[in-house]
Amino acid sequence: MSTANDLPFKVLADTFEALESITSRTQMTNILVSLLKKTPPEIIDKVVYIIEERLWPDWKGLPELGVAEKSIIKAIAVATGQSDDIVEKTAKTLGDLGKAAESLISVSREKQKKAATLLSFVSTKRELTVSRVYETLARIAMAQGEGSKDIKIRLLSGLLTESSPKEARYIVRFVEGKLRLGVGEATLMDALAIAFGGGSFARPIIERAYNLRADLGEVAKVVAAKGIEELKALKPVVGIPIRPMLAERHNNPEEILEKVGGVGFVEYKYDGERAQIHKRGSEVIIYSRRLENITHQYPDVVDYARRGVRADEAIVEGEIVAVDPDTGDFKPFQELMHRKRKYDIQAVVKEIPVRVFLFDILYANGVDYTVKPLPERRRALEEIVERNEGLDIAEYITVKTPGDLEKFFMEAIGNGAEGVMVKALHKDSIYQAGTRGWLWIKYKRDYRSEMIDTVDLVVVGAFYGKGRRGGKFGALLMAAYNEEKDVFETVCKVGSGFTDEDLNKLPDILKPYIMERKPVRVVSNIEPDVWVEPKLVAELIGAELTLSPLHTCAVGKIRGDAGISIRFPRFIRWRDDKGPEDATTSSELVEMYKSQLKKIAEKPSEGEAV
Ligand code: ATP
């Protein structure tokens, strides 16, 4: 590829360096806008993927880079003519392998220069381009099976031989999975809107396109090459997952009905795994809530959908629920975890059969249903789906009174559901892909504690333990996601609820994400012993929500100088199925806090939490 439609990789390396020293999101956006504007449309997808610290969207199911630390060390050693030992020692001294590569390449370049002067020849090093780097990285990822380790080392060392010291720093960090630019997808979308849509007002168009394509690289390419109008015309495509619509939570039937406009379309909230089922002819693909391709885990669902979804092309959505083969009763969603084991899926299919309860339709035979109101979508779903032994449509009623809502809620729980989903059915009740909003409200049972519900928070820091936990991590600093600002705000420090086994595993779980300094998108008044890149999500419960001046979650929303916190938080489990942006949001915590206040209006609690 000529450099006319390519970009020197140096530009990217310089940008990454600039991003390392900034402190605000606005600066980050400005830097990204300037990079995107400089980037030719032909390769802008690659630039976006690299910034997102990936090679392609996860849902494509393509392999990850898969280069072990030892192999990276070897590649640096080969490229610089040093021993593995020296590379390792340099990394220890400088803090990371990226810097080690940078420093050692710089030394070897100096030597080459001297030799060139001595022997008076002119070195003709070609400039490294984004395409060259990306394509080599893609080849590294694609190298699989026997002998792939050596191929990966060879390709990487070749690439490092061609790179400048600074380029090497970022290539190595990328391969290690430690680029850690801290750029969230919201920031990237803002930057795309400003660079190609004329300003931040174009952000909703970019966002909708992203919600329909789940591929920011592709969206960037379309908008950079063809303009913002082209994005407006995008429709769902069978085979490309759509980012799921999400629900707000609430626990007061009267207010729930108010929020959906007086009348609610109420369904069981099944406790299983969300499935987005794509069908074209007899081909069926199933995507998870996180848009991973999980088709192989559910050969039975593939068969049910193939028979029951009667449209040449369709995208429908539902919950896969484990059922007791003897009684047909629902089983807890944990049972579905057995399906994640790749081997002997047929045995698991027999042992833990499932049923699918469809609750939405997003596309069928050329019609984009995401823009249609719920009643119309439901009619289409009923028309297209023929129920069979494994395929059903979610049970629902329409309610106008809190009493009826409560009655259906009790019935749902009695039948093994987690609660109910209350959905708006007015004319604007479209399918808001990728958005958590009040068009869907989850109303879940709570028997565990005073807190209405568990929360899913992101680990942003860790503290060393004391006493029995000496030498290990003893607690984690947890944060909620503020979606307006695209930052993570701290909520609590959690040290309870961990088993010894959980604690023993913590160092390994945290290791890949430990950072030297506070991640840019983390807002914290507390300095943990180590900072952790916001990636890991854990489910917590506590005695109650409270206000604390130590925490930054939704500061100013309830009281000027205090954030929302959790009293006596307890770890329940890791939520590997959620990404950091899927965590409980700061505004959800505000809502939870407000409804808790109402519940205990007589004796409001404002204890301080740490
Ligand atoms: P949770 O952790 O409570 O499962 P979530 O963050 O995964 O929630 P939400 O949008 O908050 O997702 O809650 C809706 C989830 O409930 C969906 O993702 C889906 O998996 C599940 N669900 C079960 N029954 C329904 C239904 N009838 N309609 C919509 N979603 C349903």
Side-chain angles (χ1 to χ4, degrees):
M1 186 180 271
S2 79
T3 37
N5 36 22
D6 209 334
L7 185 75
F9 189 71
K10 179 181 181 310
V11 178
L12 220 54
D14 288 342
T15 306
F16 294 168
E17 188 170 48
L19 286 174
E20 268 188 71
S21 57
I22 52 119
T23 48
S24 84
R25 201 182 153 227
T26 321
Q27 284 171 307
M28 186 184 263
T29 313
N30 293 341
I31 291 173
L32 291 173
V33 169
S34 124
L35 171 69
L36 293 170
K37 281 186 170 165
K38 267 184 239 162
T39 306
E42 290 84 351
I43 56 135
I44 200 166
D45 50 343
K46 299 183 172 112
V47 167
V48 168
Y49 295 141
I50 294 174
I51 295 172
E52 288 185 300
E53 305 184 25
R54 64 174 84 228
L55 284 173
W56 27 64
D58 294 342
W59 57 263
K60 293 208 167 161
L62 295 169
E64 290 179 15
L65 273 158
V67 192
E69 193 176 338
K70 282 222 152 27
S71 300
I72 302 177
I73 293 173
K74 170 109 317 347
I76 301 173
V78 173
T80 58
Q82 302 283 358
S83 67
D84 293 12
D85 206 33
I86 294 279
V87 177
E88 233 168 314
K89 280 195 182 125
T90 317
K92 273 223 175 79
T93 318
L94 297 178
D96 81 306
L97 272 177
K99 282 194 185 144
E102 179 173 27
S103 149
L104 294 172
I105 283 185
S106 164
V107 172
S108 94
R109 286 295 134 74
E110 282 305 314
K111 278 192 200 151
Q112 281 166 2
K113 250 194 230 153
K114 272 193 197 139
T117 330
L118 230 77
L119 303 171
S120 62
F121 67 80
V122 185
S123 148
T124 52
K125 204 169 99 50
R126 266 191 316 161
E127 191 172 48
L128 205 53
T129 63
V130 167
S131 298
R132 167 92 184 117
V133 173
Y134 182 88
E135 273 144 28
T136 311
L137 294 173
R139 282 174 65 200
I140 294 177
M142 290 301 187
Q144 299 284 312
E146 213 181 309
S148 61
K149 191 170 136 205
D150 291 339
I151 299 174
K152 285 177 196 271
I153 294 175
R154 211 174 53 234
L155 287 167
L156 181 57
S157 66
L159 191 58
L160 294 176
T161 316
E162 289 175 49
S163 43
S164 72
K166 196 196 289 179
E167 289 168 341
R169 185 203 309 172
Y170 294 107
I171 290 173
V172 165
R173 283 190 185 162
F174 184 88
V175 174
E176 258 196 305
K178 288 187 180 165
L179 199 50
R180 295 176 175 173
L181 303 173
V183 178
E185 57 196 24
T187 313
L188 250 174
M189 285 193 276
D190 277 346
L192 284 169
I194 298 168
F196 305 113
S200 340
F201 57 86
R203 162 75 193 269
I205 303 165
I206 304 270
E207 195 163 335
R208 177 172 154 75
Y210 175 47
N211 289 334
L212 291 184
R213 285 290 180 274
D215 183 346
L216 260 188
E218 179 63 24
V219 170
K221 202 165 186 171
V222 173
V223 74
K226 300 186 178 155
I228 198 87
E229 287 304 312
E230 189 78 14
L231 281 190
K232 287 190 193 159
L234 286 190
K235 272 188 182 182
V237 171
V238 173
I240 301 181
I242 296 171
R243 299 184 69 231
M245 174 167 179
L246 299 169
E248 289 285 354
R249 67 177 95 202
H250 209 57
N251 73 332
N252 177 317
E254 209 169 329
E255 286 174 21
I256 291 176
L257 282 180
E258 251 168 52
K259 288 210 183 266
V260 293
V263 195
F265 183 99
V266 192
E267 290 166 342
Y268 280 19
K269 184 176 191 309
Y270 300 93
D271 190 12
E273 171 156 31
R274 187 169 186 156
Q276 196 177 95
I277 303 175
H278 290 234
K279 177 173 176 279
R280 178 182 288 126
S282 62
E283 191 199 349
V284 173
I285 306 174
I286 308 172
Y287 291 109
S288 71
R289 183 190 185 287
R290 292 192 78 178
L291 309 185
E292 285 146 347
N293 187 329
I294 50 168
T295 316
H296 59 279
Q297 291 174 29
Y298 295 105
D300 39 358
V301 175
V302 169
D303 172 55
Y304 300 143
R306 199 175 276 148
R307 286 189 278 128
V309 179
R310 293 170 311 148
D312 287 341
E313 283 202 330
I315 304 176
V316 292
E317 214 173 29
E319 190 86 352
I320 299 178
V321 190
V323 288
D324 186 315
D326 301 322
T327 61
D329 288 347
F330 296 151
K331 297 186 91 177
F333 96 96
Q334 284 85 346
E335 297 280 335
L336 295 176
M337 294 299 139
H338 297 290
R339 299 255 179 164
K340 307 244 177 276
R341 279 186 278 147
K342 291 222 169 85
Y343 53 90
D344 211 3
I345 190 76
Q346 289 305 341
V348 184
V349 163
K350 281 216 186 74
E351 211 179 301
I352 303 156
V354 298
R355 285 177 74 190
V356 190
F357 292 89
L358 296 176
F359 52 75
D360 226 314
I361 184 160
L362 314 187
Y363 178 80
N365 297 338
V367 181
D368 175 1
Y369 281 100
T370 63
V371 290
K372 312 274 187 206
L374 179 64
E376 196 174 327
R377 302 207 299 279
R378 182 52 60 123
R379 268 198 303 278
L381 189 66
E382 296 274 359
E383 260 165 39
I384 283 170
V385 172
E386 190 176 77
R387 292 171 169 85
N388 58 39
E389 72 278 21
L391 192 73
D392 217 325
I393 296 183
E395 193 106 4
Y396 81 93
I397 58 163
T398 309
V399 299
K400 291 191 178 129
T401 67
D404 286 349
L405 174 53
E406 196 62 26
K407 218 164 110 198
F408 192 67
F409 173 76
M410 296 316 289
E411 180 200 307
I413 286 177
N415 285 332
E418 227 189 329
V420 292
M421 297 289 294
V422 186
K423 301 181 178 178
L425 42 71
H426 49 68
K427 64 177 189 5
D428 299 322
S429 57
I430 58 162
Y431 185 92
Q432 285 180 322
T435 310
R436 193 183 288 284
W438 291 102
L439 290 180
W440 285 11
I441 304 175
K442 53 181 170 186
Y443 174 20
K444 292 209 271 183
R445 87 189 134 173
D446 167 44
Y447 49 82
R448 284 174 285 211
S449 84
E450 289 256 338
M451 239 169 95
I452 301 160
D453 197 354
T454 60
V455 287
D456 300 318
L457 299 180
V458 186
V459 182
V460 296
F463 301 86
Y464 296 122
K466 297 194 184 88
R468 218 167 63 86
R469 293 186 185 173
K472 296 181 196 165
F473 288 118
L476 299 175
L477 182 61
M478 307 298 298
Y481 178 54
N482 180 327
E483 51 193 346
E484 279 158 41
K485 299 186 184 153
D486 188 29
V487 295
F488 297 91
E489 300 173 334
T490 70
V491 175
C492 63
K493 187 174 156 181
V494 61
S496 304
F498 297 101
T499 60
D500 284 347
E501 200 191 341
D502 290 332
L503 289 172
N504 290 339
K505 283 190 190 153
L506 260 184
D508 282 342
I509 295 176
L510 298 184
K511 193 171 167 221
Y513 307 110
I514 287 179
M515 298 191 68
E516 270 171 37
R517 56 179 199 139
K518 186 176 77 57
V520 175
R521 288 195 298 151
V522 171
V523 186
S524 175
N525 294 333
I526 296 177
E527 178 96 11
D529 293 325
V530 291
W531 289 107
V532 178
E533 191 188 0
K535 287 277 185 206
L536 303 162
V537 179
E539 186 172 354
L540 310 184
I541 188 114
E544 62 178 348
L545 294 177
T546 164
L547 295 176
S548 162
L550 289 174
H551 290 284
T552 55
C553 172
V555 168
K557 288 281 156 72
I558 305 283
R559 213 173 67 188
D561 54 354
I564 295 182
S565 184
I566 297 176
R567 207 154 71 93
F568 307 136
R570 275 199 325 278
F571 171 87
I572 296 179
R573 60 183 167 135
W574 293 108
R575 285 291 308 245
D576 297 332
D577 60 330
K578 289 198 172 182
E581 279 97 3
D582 300 319
T584 304
T585 60
S586 304
S587 51
E588 279 182 284
L589 281 166
V590 170
E591 289 300 325
M592 286 171 81
Y593 184 83
K594 284 186 185 158
S595 65
Q596 175 186 285
L597 270 192
K598 273 195 195 126
K599 227 168 117 184
I600 47 173
E602 310 82 53
K603 41 176 183 140
S605 148
E606 287 199 0
E608 286 188 354
V610 177

